[in-house]
């Protein structure tokens, strides 16, 4: 090793590799913006044929680095903009603002400097994104090009993404292309409507000819996929009314229905996704369509522990024991997530699956299930009540963490007492009847001429203990 060199530590090398990757992405975005701008300039040059034609075409875009202009745009200062963009001036500007995240950038000869990310934009993009309607109207009156996209997206894309309906309407009135495609991921403005507040934007786009079944270039998603993935009930209803295809598959083999079932869901989101799936099902969605890994919507709903959605699928004929490519049934999917989804009431999902004839866990694996699902005693209760006999041993005691046992002491004491006490005659009778019905429990038991509490007992209702 020469005296002028030194050794990088592994941490430093990893940091340099990350910086190199970030630099490459930054250079790619800059090249993309440069290509968009060059393409725009060439197109404008080809259109300028006569003086008369030029008068009716937007002026060629100019690079603007004036901080005063940028400040007026970013603050929505209408009076300042009237002064900066008087009658007869051009509003076609390309702006390269500084801001956002900072990163190390190579400056040549081995020197690096810390600088802000930069991305090309226009006055239309800035005002449309921020909802400065009057400022946007002024720029459009000054002949700003509505479809100029130096960074690969139009102002219409950004107004829809930021849920600015009035700006969206203004751009469309002035001729913005409702089906413009973004450079990086091939999305149309309708694909950008991914929040509940963007509903009015979606309505305006459809009124101005947006393609209801347009596909993104990267994921092959339709607008209905986007609405389903985000649990947007009103968007879903709107798109179906406009003729959206309910069973088109994207690049991952997901229909909008599958996409809604597969999307991770917090407790507050469960009802929205259930309602979206209910609407798609009513529109003719196929609940048996599987993705590339042979996972059905029921697999996905169980993985997200959405009890109402699971019941909806089972009621409409979903196959409770279908296996995916990994050899897992829906029951496996719910048991794997119980510890993360206790607030989702996973016991309801397990109970429904068992009542519809789901396979049970191999008895020898119950201690493992106990270890992973012990924080949900109701789930354990439902599972154990599906067996007529259980071999409780020391492994069962060791599988329940001490803090969980302390919190749910009465329940786990009833479980561990089965090591010395056989199951009750009442429970054995329940198991015998359920075994006889063999997958018809959910259909037959509600029709029996029995008291409600007995029907609930047969359907594995929770009691807070086992006997």
């Amino acid at each position: 090793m020469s005296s002028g060199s030194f050794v990088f530590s592994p941490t430093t090398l990893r940091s340099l590799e990350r910086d190199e990757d970030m630099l490459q992405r930054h250079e790619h975005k800059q090249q993309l913006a440069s290509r968009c701008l060059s393409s725009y300039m060439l197109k404008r040059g080809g259109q300028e044929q006569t003086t008369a034609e030029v008068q009716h075409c937007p002026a060629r875009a100019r690079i603007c680095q004036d901080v005063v202009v940028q400040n007026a745009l970013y603050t929505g200062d209408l009076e300042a903009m009237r002064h900066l963009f008087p009658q007869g001036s051009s509003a076609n500007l390309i702006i390269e603002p500084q801001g956002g995240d900072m990163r190390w950038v190579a400056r040549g000869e081995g020197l690096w400097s810390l600088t802000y990310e930069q991305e090309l934009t226009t006055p239309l993009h800035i005002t449309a994104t921020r909802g400065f309607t009057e400022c946007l109207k002024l720029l459009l009156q000054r002949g700003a090009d509505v479809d100029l996209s130096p960074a690969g997206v139009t102002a219409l894309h950004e107004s829809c993404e930021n849920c600015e309906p009035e700006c969206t309407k203004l751009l469309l009135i002035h001729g913005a292309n409702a089906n413009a495609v973004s450079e990086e991921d091939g999305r149309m403005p309708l694909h950008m409507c991914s929040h509940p507040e963007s509903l009015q934007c979606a309505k305006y786009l459809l009124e101005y000819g947006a393609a209801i079944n347009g596909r993104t270039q990267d994921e092959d998603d339709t607008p209905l996929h986007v609405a389903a993935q985000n649990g947007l009930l009103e968007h879903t209803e709107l798109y179906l009314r406009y003729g959206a295809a309910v069973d088109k598959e994207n690049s991952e083999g997901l229909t909008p229905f599958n996409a809604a079932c597969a999307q991770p869901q917090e407790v507050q989101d469960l009802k929205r996704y259930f309602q979206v799936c209910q609407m798609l099902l009513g529109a003719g969605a196929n609940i048996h369509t599987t993705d590339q890994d042979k996972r059905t919507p029921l697999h996905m709903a169980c993985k997200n522990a959405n009890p109402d959605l699971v019941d909806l699928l089972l009621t409409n004929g979903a196959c409770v024991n279908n296996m995916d490519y990994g050899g897992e049934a829906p029951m496996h999917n719910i048991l794997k997530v119980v510890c993360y989804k206790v607030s989702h009431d996973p016991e309801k999902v397990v109970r429904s699956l068992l009542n519809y004839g789901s396979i049970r866990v191999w008895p020898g694996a119950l201690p493992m299930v106990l270890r992973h699902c012990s924080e949900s005693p109701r789930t354990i209760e439902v599972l154990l009540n599906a067996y007529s006999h259980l071999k409780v041993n020391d492994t069962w005691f060791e599988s329940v963490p001490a803090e969980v046992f302390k919190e749910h002491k009465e329940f786990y004491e009833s479980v561990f007492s089965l090591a010395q006490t056989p199951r009750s005659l009442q429970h054995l009778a329940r198991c015998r009847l359920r075994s006889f019905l063999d997958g018809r429990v959910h259909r037959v038991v509600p029709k029996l001429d029995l008291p409600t509490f007995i029907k609930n007992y047969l359907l594995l209702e929770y009691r807070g203990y086992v006997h």
Side-chain angles (χ1 to χ4, degrees):
M1 181 183 297
S2 66
S3 58
S5 63
F6 59 92
V7 178
F8 285 109
S9 69
T11 302
T12 304
L13 287 172
R14 285 194 298 272
S15 178
L16 288 172
E17 288 172 357
R18 285 196 300 270
D19 289 340
E20 182 181 8
D21 180 58
M22 292 172 68
L23 178 59
Q24 289 174 350
R25 290 200 301 270
H26 176 69
E27 289 175 346
H28 172 71
K29 292 177 75 174
Q30 291 289 73
Q31 291 169 2
L32 176 63
S34 178
R35 285 198 302 272
C36 293
L37 183 56
S38 299
S39 173
Y40 172 79
M41 294 302 188
L42 287 172
K43 182 172 69 176
R44 278 283 169 260
Q47 291 176 346
E48 294 174 351
Q49 297 175 357
T50 66
T51 304
E53 289 173 338
V54 171
Q55 291 175 352
H56 296 286
C57 292
R60 176 175 294 182
R62 296 178 288 109
I63 301 294
C64 174
Q65 297 178 336
D66 191 329
V67 177
V68 175
V69 174
Q70 295 186 23
N71 285 342
L73 290 168
Y74 280 106
T75 58
D77 190 335
L78 183 58
E79 289 304 315
M81 287 182 60
R82 284 175 177 157
H83 175 72
L84 294 167
F85 297 96
Q87 287 285 353
S89 65
S90 172
N92 277 340
L93 304 176
I94 302 294
I95 298 173
E96 190 175 28
Q98 290 191 349
D101 297 332
M102 297 189 73
R103 62 174 56 179
W104 290 100
V105 177
R107 295 300 184 188
E109 299 183 3
L111 298 176
W112 290 65
S113 64
L114 195 61
T115 186
Y116 286 103
E117 288 189 66
Q118 295 178 327
E119 186 172 287
L120 298 179
T121 187
T122 73
L124 282 189
H125 286 72
I126 296 170
T127 52
T129 299
R130 287 159 179 75
F132 299 149
T133 311
E134 292 302 317
C135 296
L136 179 63
K137 189 181 299 183
L138 175 69
L139 293 168
L140 291 168
Q141 290 170 351
R142 298 294 185 266
D145 185 351
V146 287
D147 288 327
L148 182 58
S149 54
V153 293
T154 66
L156 186 59
H157 281 93
E158 297 201 352
S159 69
C160 292
E161 183 178 16
N162 288 277
C163 310
E164 297 293 347
E166 292 308 310
C167 292
T168 296
K169 184 178 180 180
L170 262 177
L171 291 167
L172 289 167
I173 289 173
H174 283 80
N177 183 2
N179 292 310
V181 178
S182 64
E183 292 283 344
E184 190 170 347
D185 49 19
R187 291 193 291 175
M188 299 176 187
L190 201 54
H191 294 113
M192 312 300 285
C193 298
S194 57
H195 299 283
E197 297 79 11
S198 66
L199 178 64
Q200 191 59 51
C201 292
K203 289 181 178 179
Y204 287 141
L205 288 169
L206 290 168
E207 288 173 9
Y208 280 82
I212 188 61
N213 290 314
R215 302 292 195 108
T216 61
Q217 291 177 357
D218 55 348
E219 300 292 343
D220 219 22
D221 284 332
T222 66
L224 190 58
H225 278 93
V226 176
Q229 288 163 0
N230 291 280
L232 303 179
L233 181 63
E234 292 181 305
H235 288 66
T236 300
E237 183 181 14
L238 174 68
Y239 296 162
L240 291 173
R241 196 163 64 244
Y242 270 82
V246 74
D247 275 331
K248 282 189 178 294
E249 296 182 11
N250 63 11
S251 59
E252 296 180 356
L254 295 174
T255 65
F257 187 85
N258 294 50
C261 293
Q263 192 68 17
Q265 302 159 21
E266 299 299 329
V267 173
Q268 64 272 18
D269 301 327
L270 297 178
K271 184 177 179 180
R272 291 194 297 116
Y273 281 95
F274 164 73
Q275 291 174 329
V276 167
C277 289
Q278 192 175 37
M279 181 171 291
L280 290 171
L281 196 59
N286 183 358
I287 64 171
H288 302 296
T289 302
T290 60
D291 66 4
Q292 295 173 338
D293 295 320
K294 294 297 181 183
R295 291 175 299 186
T296 65
L298 185 58
H299 281 94
M300 302 165 188
C302 288
K303 186 174 181 179
N304 285 314
N306 190 328
D308 290 337
L309 182 52
V310 168
D311 283 342
L312 177 69
L313 291 166
L314 291 170
T315 302
N316 284 275
C319 298
V320 73
N321 288 320
N322 272 1
M323 300 285 184
D324 61 16
Y325 268 145
E328 295 188 337
M331 179 64 81
H332 295 102
N333 280 15
I334 180 61
L335 293 180
K336 287 195 298 185
V337 301
V338 167
C339 57
Y340 311 110
K341 304 280 189 178
V342 174
S343 59
H344 289 58
D345 298 329
E347 67 277 2
K348 293 181 180 179
V349 175
V350 174
R351 181 186 177 194
S352 293
L353 292 174
L354 289 170
N355 286 336
Y356 274 79
S358 171
I359 57 172
R360 297 177 299 174
V361 178
W362 174 58
L366 284 174
M368 183 183 298
V369 174
L370 197 61
R371 183 179 305 113
H372 290 289
C373 303
S374 58
E375 292 184 25
S376 175
R378 283 189 167 187
T379 300
I380 300 298
E381 179 184 348
V382 172
L383 278 174
L384 298 186
N385 282 337
Y387 299 85
S388 58
H389 299 85
L390 293 169
K391 294 182 179 180
V392 179
N393 51 40
D394 291 343
T395 307
W396 288 53
F397 290 88
E398 297 164 0
S399 297
V400 180
E403 61 276 11
V404 176
F405 177 82
K406 184 177 179 180
E407 183 178 355
H408 306 286
K409 184 178 179 181
E410 183 179 352
F411 171 75
Y412 283 111
E413 282 181 342
S414 73
V415 172
F416 298 150
S417 68
L418 297 178
Q420 294 85 28
T421 308
R423 303 301 296 264
S424 69
L425 183 60
Q426 182 180 344
H427 171 72
L428 294 176
R430 170 172 62 180
C431 288
R432 184 71 187 92
L433 180 57
R434 287 178 61 88
S435 176
F436 173 76
L437 293 175
D438 188 27
R440 295 173 294 154
V441 174
H442 66 283
R443 193 166 63 248
V444 174
V445 170
K447 297 179 181 179
L448 295 177
D449 187 18
L450 294 171
T452 300
F453 77 92
I454 295 181
K455 292 181 183 179
N456 290 337
Y457 180 75
L458 292 173
L459 293 171
L460 304 179
E461 188 181 50
Y462 333 106
R463 295 190 167 191
Y465 60 90
V466 295
H467 63 98

